[in-house]
Amino acid sequence: MTTNAALVGIDFGKLDFEASLQELDLLTQSAGATPVVTITGRRRSPDAKLFIGSGKAEELRDAIAEFDVELVIFNHALTPGQQRNLEHLLQRRVVDRTSLILDIFAQRAKSHEGKLQVELAQLQYLSTRLVRAWTHLERQKGGIGLRGPGETQLETDRRLLGERVKSLKARLEKLQRQHDTQRRARQRSGTMSISLVGYTNAGKSTLFNAMTKANAYAADQLFATLDTTSRRVYLGDVGNIVLSDTVGFIRELPHQLVAAFRATLEETVHADMLLHVVDASSQVRKEQMAEVNAVLAEIDAADIPQILVWNKIDAVPELAAQGPRIERDEAGRVTRVFLSARTGQGLDLLREAISEAVVAGTGGLQSQHEAPDVRLIDRWDDVPRAEDR
Protein backbone atom coordinates (compact mmCIF):
# COMPACT_ATOMS: atom_id res chain seq x y z
CA MET A 1 0.00 0.00 0.00
CA THR A 2 1.48 3.32 -1.07
CA THR A 3 1.52 6.54 0.90
CA ASN A 4 -0.43 9.53 -0.43
CA ALA A 5 1.78 12.60 -0.47
CA ALA A 6 1.18 16.32 -0.88
CA LEU A 7 3.96 18.21 -2.65
CA VAL A 8 4.70 21.81 -1.75
CA GLY A 9 6.78 24.18 -3.86
CA ILE A 10 7.23 27.91 -3.47
CA ASP A 11 8.44 30.02 -6.39
CA PHE A 12 11.08 32.49 -5.21
CA GLY A 13 11.77 33.68 -8.75
CA LYS A 14 14.10 30.95 -9.98
CA LEU A 15 13.95 30.09 -13.68
CA ASP A 16 13.81 26.32 -13.16
CA PHE A 17 10.86 26.29 -10.74
CA GLU A 18 8.60 24.07 -12.90
CA ALA A 19 11.43 21.64 -13.68
CA SER A 20 12.28 21.43 -9.99
CA LEU A 21 8.65 20.56 -9.17
CA GLN A 22 8.64 17.82 -11.80
CA GLU A 23 11.83 16.49 -10.29
CA LEU A 24 10.23 16.48 -6.83
CA ASP A 25 7.38 14.39 -8.26
CA LEU A 26 9.90 11.84 -9.60
CA LEU A 27 11.82 11.85 -6.32
CA THR A 28 8.61 11.19 -4.40
CA GLN A 29 7.74 8.25 -6.63
CA SER A 30 11.30 6.95 -6.35
CA ALA A 31 10.91 6.99 -2.56
CA GLY A 32 7.75 4.87 -2.81
CA ALA A 33 5.05 7.49 -2.21
CA THR A 34 2.25 8.64 -4.53
CA PRO A 35 1.87 12.39 -5.19
CA VAL A 36 -1.86 13.19 -5.11
CA VAL A 37 -1.85 16.99 -4.85
CA THR A 38 0.65 19.80 -5.42
CA ILE A 39 0.44 23.12 -3.61
CA THR A 40 2.37 26.04 -5.10
CA GLY A 41 2.74 29.72 -4.33
CA ARG A 42 5.00 32.74 -4.81
CA ARG A 43 6.95 34.54 -2.11
CA ARG A 44 9.90 36.87 -1.91
CA SER A 45 11.35 34.98 1.04
CA PRO A 46 10.37 32.05 3.29
CA ASP A 47 8.10 32.63 6.26
CA ALA A 48 10.18 32.29 9.44
CA LYS A 49 7.59 30.19 11.25
CA LEU A 50 5.90 28.02 8.60
CA PHE A 51 8.03 28.65 5.49
CA ILE A 52 4.85 29.03 3.37
CA GLY A 53 2.88 31.52 5.47
CA SER A 54 -0.32 30.98 7.43
CA GLY A 55 -2.72 31.39 4.49
CA LYS A 56 -0.95 28.84 2.31
CA ALA A 57 -0.65 26.52 5.35
CA GLU A 58 -4.45 26.58 5.74
CA GLU A 59 -4.82 25.77 2.03
CA LEU A 60 -2.44 22.86 2.54
CA ARG A 61 -4.40 21.61 5.54
CA ASP A 62 -7.65 21.63 3.50
CA ALA A 63 -5.95 19.69 0.69
CA ILE A 64 -4.68 17.12 3.20
CA ALA A 65 -8.24 16.44 4.34
CA GLU A 66 -9.65 16.36 0.80
CA PHE A 67 -7.06 14.02 -0.70
CA ASP A 68 -6.41 11.83 2.36
CA VAL A 69 -2.75 12.86 2.50
CA GLU A 70 -0.47 11.02 4.92
CA LEU A 71 2.84 12.72 4.09
CA VAL A 72 3.76 16.32 3.17
CA ILE A 73 6.93 16.83 1.12
CA PHE A 74 8.50 20.26 0.65
CA ASN A 75 10.65 21.05 -2.36
CA HIS A 76 12.92 23.08 -0.09
CA ALA A 77 15.17 22.72 2.94
CA LEU A 78 13.22 23.40 6.15
CA THR A 79 14.65 24.48 9.46
CA PRO A 80 13.94 22.18 12.43
CA GLY A 81 11.60 24.85 13.84
CA GLN A 82 9.61 25.19 10.61
CA GLN A 83 9.30 21.43 10.32
CA ARG A 84 8.09 21.13 13.91
CA ASN A 85 5.57 23.97 13.50
CA LEU A 86 4.18 22.51 10.28
CA GLU A 87 3.76 19.05 11.78
CA HIS A 88 1.96 20.55 14.78
CA LEU A 89 -0.42 22.51 12.52
CA LEU A 90 -1.02 19.85 9.87
CA GLN A 91 -0.95 16.79 12.13
CA ARG A 92 0.96 14.97 9.43
CA ARG A 93 4.57 13.97 8.96
CA VAL A 94 6.51 16.66 7.07
CA VAL A 95 9.78 16.05 5.24
CA ASP A 96 11.92 18.41 3.20
CA ARG A 97 13.86 17.84 -0.02
CA THR A 98 17.03 16.90 1.84
CA SER A 99 15.31 14.24 3.93
CA LEU A 100 13.59 12.83 0.83
CA ILE A 101 16.87 12.43 -1.07
CA LEU A 102 18.50 10.85 1.98
CA ASP A 103 15.64 8.34 2.18
CA ILE A 104 16.06 7.38 -1.47
CA PHE A 105 19.79 6.93 -0.96
CA ALA A 106 19.09 4.71 2.04
CA GLN A 107 16.84 2.51 -0.09
CA ARG A 108 19.29 2.28 -3.01
CA ALA A 109 22.60 1.75 -1.20
CA LYS A 110 23.73 -1.81 -1.85
CA SER A 111 27.42 -2.03 -1.02
CA HIS A 112 28.86 -1.97 2.49
CA GLU A 113 30.57 1.35 1.77
CA GLY A 114 27.43 2.88 0.29
CA LYS A 115 25.39 1.94 3.35
CA LEU A 116 28.00 3.46 5.67
CA GLN A 117 28.03 6.68 3.66
CA VAL A 118 24.24 7.01 3.68
CA GLU A 119 23.99 6.29 7.39
CA LEU A 120 26.62 8.94 8.11
CA ALA A 121 24.71 11.50 6.03
CA GLN A 122 21.44 10.64 7.80
CA LEU A 123 22.99 10.95 11.25
CA GLN A 124 24.56 14.30 10.37
CA TYR A 125 21.16 15.51 9.19
CA LEU A 126 19.42 14.11 12.27
CA SER A 127 21.88 15.78 14.64
CA THR A 128 20.25 19.16 13.98
CA ARG A 129 16.75 17.77 14.52
CA LEU A 130 16.96 15.75 17.69
CA VAL A 131 14.76 18.29 19.41
CA ARG A 132 11.79 17.15 17.33
CA ALA A 133 12.51 13.44 17.45
CA TRP A 134 11.41 12.93 21.04
CA THR A 135 8.62 14.00 23.40
CA HIS A 136 10.58 13.21 26.54
CA LEU A 137 13.72 15.23 25.94
CA GLU A 138 13.88 17.15 29.17
CA ARG A 139 13.04 14.23 31.42
CA GLN A 140 15.93 13.83 33.85
CA LYS A 141 17.09 10.26 34.27
CA GLY A 142 19.74 9.09 36.64
CA GLY A 143 21.53 5.80 36.25
CA ILE A 144 24.72 4.11 35.27
CA GLY A 145 26.02 2.71 32.04
CA LEU A 146 24.91 4.60 28.94
CA ARG A 147 23.85 7.84 30.63
CA GLY A 148 25.34 9.79 33.46
CA PRO A 149 23.45 10.93 36.56
CA GLY A 150 21.03 13.68 35.73
CA GLU A 151 21.73 13.51 32.01
CA THR A 152 18.73 14.44 29.89
CA GLN A 153 17.52 12.16 27.12
CA LEU A 154 18.55 14.80 24.57
CA GLU A 155 22.13 14.79 25.88
CA THR A 156 22.19 11.01 25.78
CA ASP A 157 20.93 10.94 22.21
CA ARG A 158 23.50 13.50 21.13
CA ARG A 159 26.31 11.59 22.80
CA LEU A 160 25.30 8.24 21.27
CA LEU A 161 24.80 9.84 17.87
CA GLY A 162 28.22 11.51 18.10
CA GLU A 163 29.87 8.20 18.95
CA ARG A 164 28.20 6.49 16.00
CA VAL A 165 29.25 9.29 13.63
CA LYS A 166 32.84 9.01 14.87
CA SER A 167 32.79 5.24 14.31
CA LEU A 168 31.37 5.58 10.78
CA LYS A 169 33.95 8.19 9.82
CA ALA A 170 36.76 5.93 11.03
CA ARG A 171 35.46 3.00 8.95
CA LEU A 172 35.04 5.18 5.87
CA GLU A 173 38.57 6.54 6.30
CA LYS A 174 39.86 2.95 6.32
CA LEU A 175 37.99 2.24 3.08
CA GLN A 176 39.35 5.44 1.59
CA ARG A 177 42.91 4.32 2.37
CA GLN A 178 42.18 1.08 0.52
CA HIS A 179 40.95 3.09 -2.48
CA ASP A 180 44.10 5.20 -2.34
CA THR A 181 46.25 2.05 -2.44
CA GLN A 182 44.35 0.74 -5.47
CA ARG A 183 44.60 4.14 -7.18
CA ARG A 184 48.37 4.35 -6.64
CA ALA A 185 48.76 0.89 -8.13
CA ARG A 186 46.90 2.04 -11.26
CA GLN A 187 49.05 5.15 -11.48
CA ARG A 188 52.24 3.09 -11.25
CA SER A 189 51.03 0.96 -14.11
CA GLY A 190 50.40 4.09 -16.19
CA THR A 191 46.70 3.29 -16.66
CA MET A 192 44.55 6.32 -17.43
CA SER A 193 41.50 6.86 -15.20
CA ILE A 194 38.26 8.25 -16.64
CA SER A 195 35.10 8.95 -14.62
CA LEU A 196 31.54 9.29 -15.84
CA VAL A 197 29.77 12.21 -14.19
CA GLY A 198 26.42 13.82 -14.82
CA TYR A 199 22.98 14.63 -13.59
CA THR A 200 20.98 11.75 -12.20
CA ASN A 201 19.14 9.73 -14.88
CA ALA A 202 21.28 11.17 -17.69
CA GLY A 203 22.19 7.63 -18.75
CA LYS A 204 25.64 7.20 -17.17
CA SER A 205 25.13 3.57 -16.17
CA THR A 206 23.68 2.65 -19.57
CA LEU A 207 26.72 4.23 -21.23
CA PHE A 208 29.04 2.49 -18.75
CA ASN A 209 27.49 -0.90 -19.58
CA ALA A 210 27.69 -0.21 -23.31
CA MET A 211 31.37 0.80 -23.08
CA THR A 212 32.53 -1.98 -20.74
CA LYS A 213 30.08 -4.84 -21.44
CA ALA A 214 29.43 -4.79 -17.69
CA ASN A 215 26.10 -5.53 -16.05
CA ALA A 216 25.82 -2.58 -13.69
CA TYR A 217 22.28 -1.78 -12.62
CA ALA A 218 20.68 0.82 -14.92
CA ALA A 219 17.08 2.03 -14.83
CA ASP A 220 14.97 5.00 -15.89
CA GLN A 221 14.80 6.41 -12.38
CA LEU A 222 16.58 8.92 -10.19
CA PHE A 223 19.66 7.66 -8.35
CA ALA A 224 19.59 4.15 -9.82
CA THR A 225 23.33 3.95 -9.10
CA LEU A 226 24.98 4.95 -5.83
CA ASP A 227 28.12 2.84 -5.70
CA THR A 228 31.15 3.57 -7.85
CA THR A 229 31.90 0.73 -10.29
CA SER A 230 35.17 0.57 -12.22
CA ARG A 231 36.11 -1.59 -15.21
CA ARG A 232 39.04 -1.81 -17.60
CA VAL A 233 38.32 -0.88 -21.21
CA TYR A 234 40.63 -1.75 -24.10
CA LEU A 235 40.99 1.03 -26.68
CA GLY A 236 43.16 -0.53 -29.37
CA ASP A 237 46.42 1.36 -29.90
CA VAL A 238 46.24 3.25 -26.60
CA GLY A 239 45.75 0.07 -24.55
CA ASN A 240 43.69 -0.16 -21.37
CA ILE A 241 41.94 2.62 -19.47
CA VAL A 242 39.92 2.42 -16.25
CA LEU A 243 36.35 3.71 -16.61
CA SER A 244 34.35 4.48 -13.44
CA ASP A 245 30.60 5.03 -13.07
CA THR A 246 29.72 7.37 -10.19
CA VAL A 247 26.63 8.56 -8.31
CA GLY A 248 24.48 11.05 -10.20
CA PHE A 249 24.12 14.66 -9.11
CA ILE A 250 20.95 16.67 -8.60
CA ARG A 251 20.04 20.28 -7.90
CA GLU A 252 20.39 21.21 -4.25
CA LEU A 253 22.23 17.97 -3.50
CA PRO A 254 22.36 17.82 0.33
CA HIS A 255 25.74 18.88 1.70
CA GLN A 256 25.61 15.90 4.06
CA LEU A 257 25.63 13.60 1.04
CA VAL A 258 28.46 15.41 -0.69
CA ALA A 259 30.52 15.10 2.49
CA ALA A 260 29.56 11.49 3.22
CA PHE A 261 30.10 10.38 -0.38
CA ARG A 262 33.48 12.07 -0.62
CA ALA A 263 35.15 8.64 -0.57
CA THR A 264 33.01 7.54 -3.52
CA LEU A 265 33.60 10.82 -5.33
CA GLU A 266 37.36 10.44 -4.83
CA GLU A 267 37.36 8.49 -8.11
CA THR A 268 36.15 11.67 -9.76
CA VAL A 269 38.63 13.93 -7.98
CA HIS A 270 41.61 11.77 -9.02
CA ALA A 271 40.43 11.03 -12.57
CA ASP A 272 42.59 12.06 -15.51
CA MET A 273 39.50 12.94 -17.53
CA LEU A 274 35.74 13.29 -17.03
CA LEU A 275 32.98 12.23 -19.40
CA HIS A 276 30.18 14.66 -18.48
CA VAL A 277 27.03 12.83 -19.60
CA VAL A 278 24.13 15.15 -20.51
CA ASP A 279 20.51 14.16 -21.16
CA ALA A 280 20.06 15.79 -24.56
CA SER A 281 16.29 15.29 -24.35
CA SER A 282 15.94 17.34 -21.15
CA GLN A 283 14.60 20.87 -21.57
CA VAL A 284 16.60 21.99 -18.52
CA ARG A 285 19.92 20.48 -19.56
CA LYS A 286 21.76 23.80 -19.14
CA GLU A 287 20.67 24.02 -15.51
CA GLN A 288 21.54 20.36 -14.95
CA MET A 289 25.02 20.87 -16.40
CA ALA A 290 25.50 23.87 -14.14
CA GLU A 291 24.50 21.82 -11.08
CA VAL A 292 26.99 19.09 -11.99
CA ASN A 293 29.78 21.62 -12.44
CA ALA A 294 28.88 23.24 -9.11
CA VAL A 295 29.33 19.91 -7.30
CA LEU A 296 32.56 19.25 -9.21
CA ALA A 297 33.83 22.60 -7.97
CA GLU A 298 32.81 21.70 -4.41
CA ILE A 299 34.89 18.51 -4.49
CA ASP A 300 37.86 20.23 -6.20
CA ALA A 301 37.35 18.50 -9.55
CA ALA A 302 36.45 21.55 -11.65
CA ASP A 303 39.83 21.73 -13.40
CA ILE A 304 39.82 18.15 -14.67
CA PRO A 305 39.45 18.09 -18.49
CA GLN A 306 35.97 17.16 -19.71
CA ILE A 307 34.33 15.75 -22.77
CA LEU A 308 30.63 16.55 -22.93
CA VAL A 309 28.67 13.44 -23.93
CA TRP A 310 25.24 14.37 -25.23
CA ASN A 311 23.29 11.17 -24.66
CA LYS A 312 19.77 10.13 -25.76
CA ILE A 313 19.97 11.80 -29.18
CA ASP A 314 17.52 9.13 -30.36
CA ALA A 315 14.88 10.88 -28.21
CA VAL A 316 15.41 14.26 -29.95
CA PRO A 317 14.22 14.25 -33.60
CA GLU A 318 16.51 17.13 -34.64
CA LEU A 319 19.60 15.45 -33.19
CA ALA A 320 18.57 11.99 -34.40
CA ALA A 321 18.34 13.42 -37.93
CA GLN A 322 21.93 14.69 -37.70
CA GLY A 323 23.13 11.41 -36.25
CA PRO A 324 26.10 10.80 -33.94
CA ARG A 325 29.02 13.18 -34.35
CA ILE A 326 32.04 14.77 -32.69
CA GLU A 327 32.04 18.53 -32.19
CA ARG A 328 35.28 20.49 -31.88
CA ASP A 329 36.21 24.05 -30.99
CA GLU A 330 38.21 26.49 -33.11
CA ALA A 331 41.48 24.92 -31.92
CA GLY A 332 40.36 21.47 -33.01
CA ARG A 333 39.83 20.22 -29.47
CA VAL A 334 36.99 17.77 -28.78
CA THR A 335 34.16 19.48 -26.91
CA ARG A 336 31.11 17.29 -27.43
CA VAL A 337 30.19 13.84 -28.63
CA PHE A 338 26.58 13.19 -29.65
CA LEU A 339 25.43 9.60 -29.16
CA SER A 340 22.78 7.23 -27.83
CA ALA A 341 23.99 4.77 -25.21
CA ARG A 342 20.72 2.85 -25.48
CA THR A 343 20.99 2.14 -29.21
CA GLY A 344 24.79 2.16 -29.40
CA GLN A 345 24.91 4.98 -31.97
CA GLY A 346 28.09 7.00 -31.62
CA LEU A 347 29.93 4.75 -29.18
CA ASP A 348 32.73 4.33 -31.73
CA LEU A 349 33.04 8.13 -31.92
CA LEU A 350 33.32 8.37 -28.13
CA ARG A 351 36.08 5.75 -28.13
CA GLU A 352 37.81 7.74 -30.87
CA ALA A 353 37.54 10.95 -28.82
CA ILE A 354 38.88 9.24 -25.69
CA SER A 355 41.77 7.68 -27.61
CA GLU A 356 42.65 11.07 -29.08
CA ALA A 357 42.68 12.60 -25.58
CA VAL A 358 44.80 9.76 -24.18
CA VAL A 359 47.37 10.17 -26.96
CA ALA A 360 47.44 13.92 -26.30
CA GLY A 361 47.68 13.32 -22.54
CA THR A 362 44.33 15.17 -22.11
CA GLY A 363 46.12 18.32 -23.20
CA GLY A 364 43.77 18.39 -26.15
CA LEU A 365 40.76 18.86 -23.91
CA GLN A 366 39.35 21.76 -21.97
CA SER A 367 38.57 22.05 -18.29
CA GLN A 368 35.37 23.62 -17.07
CA HIS A 369 37.23 26.79 -16.08
CA GLU A 370 38.89 27.12 -19.48
CA ALA A 371 35.68 26.89 -21.49
CA PRO A 372 32.61 28.10 -19.59
CA ASP A 373 30.87 28.87 -22.88
CA VAL A 374 31.02 25.22 -23.92
CA ARG A 375 29.72 24.10 -20.55
CA LEU A 376 26.82 26.48 -20.10
CA ILE A 377 25.75 27.91 -23.46
CA ASP A 378 23.29 25.60 -25.19
CA ARG A 379 23.94 25.80 -28.90
CA TRP A 380 22.86 23.36 -31.59
CA ASP A 381 24.29 25.52 -34.38
CA ASP A 382 21.35 26.21 -36.71
CA VAL A 383 19.19 23.31 -35.50
CA PRO A 384 15.94 24.60 -33.89
CA ARG A 385 14.98 23.05 -30.58
CA ALA A 386 11.64 21.24 -30.38
CA GLU A 387 10.32 23.56 -27.65
CA ASP A 388 10.98 26.60 -29.89
CA ARG A 389 9.06 25.29 -32.87
Side-chain angles (χ1 to χ4, degrees), residues 115-168:
K115 291 177 180 178
L116 290 179
Q117 290 168 329
V118 172
E119 184 183 352
L120 175 59
Q122 288 179 313
L123 290 178
Q124 290 172 328
Y125 175 78
L126 179 63
S127 65
T128 63
R129 295 165 193 269
L130 279 177
V131 68
R132 60 170 296 277
W134 304 88
T135 59
H136 58 284
L137 292 180
E138 296 307 321
R139 188 179 304 165
Q140 296 282 345
K141 291 187 178 181
I144 58 174
L146 288 179
R147 64 183 65 128
E151 186 176 30
T152 65
Q153 184 66 48
L154 176 58
E155 290 166 344
T156 300
D157 298 332
R158 281 177 175 162
R159 177 167 52 79
L160 293 177
L161 186 147
E163 291 171 356
R164 180 61 178 166
V165 167
K166 184 178 179 180
S167 172
L168 289 173

Side-chain angles (χ1 to χ4, degrees), residues 25 43 116 156 174 196 213-214 223 263 273 292 352 359 384:
D25 189 287
R43 290 183 66 93
L116 290 179
T156 300
K174 181 179 179 181
L196 292 168
K213 309 302 181 184
F223 299 118
M273 180 171 65
V292 172
E352 177 185 327
V359 170

